[in-house]
Amino acid sequence: MNQTDSSVRIAILSIGILLMGVVGIASGLAEIAKHFSDVSQTSIQLLITLPCIVIIFVNPLIGKLDEFVAKKNLVLFGIVCFLLGGMAPAFLDSFKLILACRAVLGVGVAITQVLSSALVAEYFAGDERTRVMGQLSSAQMLGCAFMFFTSGYLAVIDWNITFYVHAVALISLICVALFLPKKPPVRVSCHTAGANKPKLTPAALGWTVTTLIFFIGAMTLANFLAFFVTDHQLGSAAQAGQATMVFAIGGVVTGFLYGKLVRLVGHLSLSVGLFLGTVSFLIIALSPNLPILYCGSFLYGGTVTIVFASIMMGTSLSVSPAAVPLAMSIVIMGQNLGSFINPYVISALAQMIGSDMNRYAFIVAALLFIFMGGIALFWGMAKNAGERRAAQTA
């Protein structure tokens, strides 16, 4: 690995710490809800889900802008949006204005989500790409751990100080400015559009649907855990922050093992992650105390890392190199649509099971994961068998 690769890796991983910035204040939701006592729980959850809707509309623009604007400039703009939209609510007392700021944050997260994976695909190939994609997932979870843990303790001091957690983006701003090369964009002219115009494939659309369904269940931890902890008197916002921090630590650890997992089980890695998610959410739902809940949270961190890295790898390999940013943007649209839908779908289904909505939310999501895991198991077995046959005939 040369000096340029090392510098680019630092820049990409610094972007990675922002990728879960939408849920950075999740540990403080219960405290924010206490301050805005006239606002419903579902409306409070808009602080998490509204940026996801913004991301859905911004993503297609990023795939197009990437053809005309240098990735470095786009990433720097996204980080600035993250900083401004993330920290401004600390100085506001209007819920509507805070939601507007969260929309600006959504613009920043949209840019970083699409371009971080696109940069990995652009600068790395083969096994190295798999390793860096796993490291990107670890960086994502490391940033998530910091934000979850810090926001929980900040929320105990005062609800609005929770938003200071977004200052972590200053690290990303410095690293990208110093280490990411400024390469000219690849413009698609009218003369070469037919041959080089980025095109999606059925496989890329399949990964989009997979991402959409997964995140309908995956966002349950961010949207319901703080309320579950306080409802069942397991702890305060600080303890909810610790639980979500443990989740992120599990993701960091798994990220460094992801490459080895893929070499061991191949395309079955997706089903491994989904079945792990089923177990982890059942542990959380049935937790009698914080230590058990922490165990479930730790395992769930592994789920998100494995599944998300598998999706990103599958997407990057499903299209031509020129179409990777477009494919990533479509897949991330699925991620954020699923994230937005989560509290509405999961709440409705959980209430059909029983009155303890914040507990049954995790059971509903676990059932979704086991259903997806079964499908992924047969898909992975077929893909592995196909690759073995191709290798034997080569």
Side-chain angles (χ1 to χ4, degrees), residues 26-373:
S27 302
L29 284 183
E31 295 301 318
I32 295 172
K34 290 178 183 178
H35 180 78
F36 294 101
S37 55
D38 57 333
V39 179
S40 68
Q41 176 175 322
T42 303
S43 296
I44 291 293
Q45 289 170 329
L46 277 172
L47 294 171
I48 304 293
T49 58
L50 178 64
C52 298
I53 284 295
V54 173
I55 292 169
I56 292 171
F57 289 102
V58 172
N59 273 351
L61 300 178
I62 300 169
K64 189 63 179 177
L65 284 172
D66 179 69
E67 298 175 17
F68 303 97
V69 182
K71 286 185 176 67
K72 180 172 183 174
N73 290 345
L74 284 174
V75 171
L76 288 172
F77 177 74
I79 295 172
V80 170
C81 288
F82 186 101
L83 274 169
L84 295 179
M87 294 192 66
F91 309 98
L92 301 172
D93 200 26
S94 165
F95 191 71
K96 291 181 179 179
L97 288 178
I98 290 174
L99 285 178
C101 291
R102 298 294 290 175
V104 175
L105 174 86
V107 173
V109 174
I111 294 171
T112 57
Q113 283 182 342
V114 172
L115 294 184
S116 58
S117 297
L119 286 167
V120 174
E122 179 176 334
Y123 284 96
F124 302 95
D127 289 342
E128 189 65 15
R129 179 186 294 184
T130 302
R131 281 192 292 272
V132 177
M133 198 68 79
Q135 291 167 3
L136 179 63
S137 293
S138 289
Q140 170 179 315
M141 292 305 223
L142 185 62
C144 181
F146 171 80
M147 286 186 275
F148 275 151
F149 179 76
T150 306
S151 66
Y153 279 94
L154 292 176
V156 172
I157 299 172
D158 205 348
W159 70 271
N160 61 324
I161 298 178
T162 308
F163 295 95
Y164 285 1
V165 74
H166 298 101
V168 69
L170 289 171
I171 297 172
S172 309
L173 189 67
I174 294 169
C175 289
V176 170
L178 292 178
F179 300 123
L180 187 65
K182 187 176 181 180
K183 295 175 63 174
V186 179
R187 293 177 173 82
V188 180
S189 69
C190 59
H191 301 293
T192 61
N196 298 328
K197 185 176 180 180
K199 295 180 181 179
L200 294 177
T201 62
L205 297 178
W207 284 114
T208 302
V209 174
T210 301
T211 309
L212 166 65
I213 299 173
F214 172 67
F215 274 92
I216 290 176
M219 287 294 288
T220 301
L221 190 89
N223 283 322
F224 292 91
L225 186 64
F227 295 104
F228 175 73
V229 169
T230 54
D231 281 357
H232 294 273
Q233 299 179 336
L234 297 177
S236 65
Q239 279 70 52
Q242 290 172 1
T244 43
M245 180 195 69
V246 170
F247 147 76
I249 292 173
V252 172
V253 172
T254 308
F256 287 105
L257 301 174
Y258 175 71
K260 294 181 180 179
L261 175 66
V262 172
R263 286 194 295 273
L264 181 65
V265 302
H267 295 283
L268 290 175
S269 60
L270 180 61
S271 61
V272 170
L274 289 165
F275 288 136
L276 183 62
T278 300
V279 173
S280 62
F281 269 5
L282 289 176
I283 290 174
I284 291 172
L286 302 175
S287 296
N289 51 52
L290 280 174
I292 300 297
L293 186 143
Y294 289 164
C295 290
S297 187
F298 181 86
L299 292 176
Y300 184 61
T303 291
V304 173
T305 291
I306 294 170
V307 173
F308 195 73
S310 297
I311 288 171
M312 292 297 101
M313 278 299 302
T315 302
S316 68
L317 295 173
S318 68
V319 294
S320 66
V324 169
L326 176 61
M328 291 295 181
S329 68
I330 298 299
V331 166
I332 292 172
M333 284 175 64
Q335 171 189 341
N336 287 283
L337 180 58
S339 299
F340 177 78
I341 292 173
N342 166 267
Y344 304 101
V345 173
I346 298 299
S347 294
L349 293 175
Q351 288 173 330
M352 291 173 62
I353 298 176
S355 58
D356 192 352
M357 181 182 69
N358 293 315
R359 181 191 297 277
Y360 286 117
F362 289 96
I363 295 176
V364 169
L367 294 174
L368 176 62
F369 288 160
I370 198 169
F371 172 75
M372 292 184 69

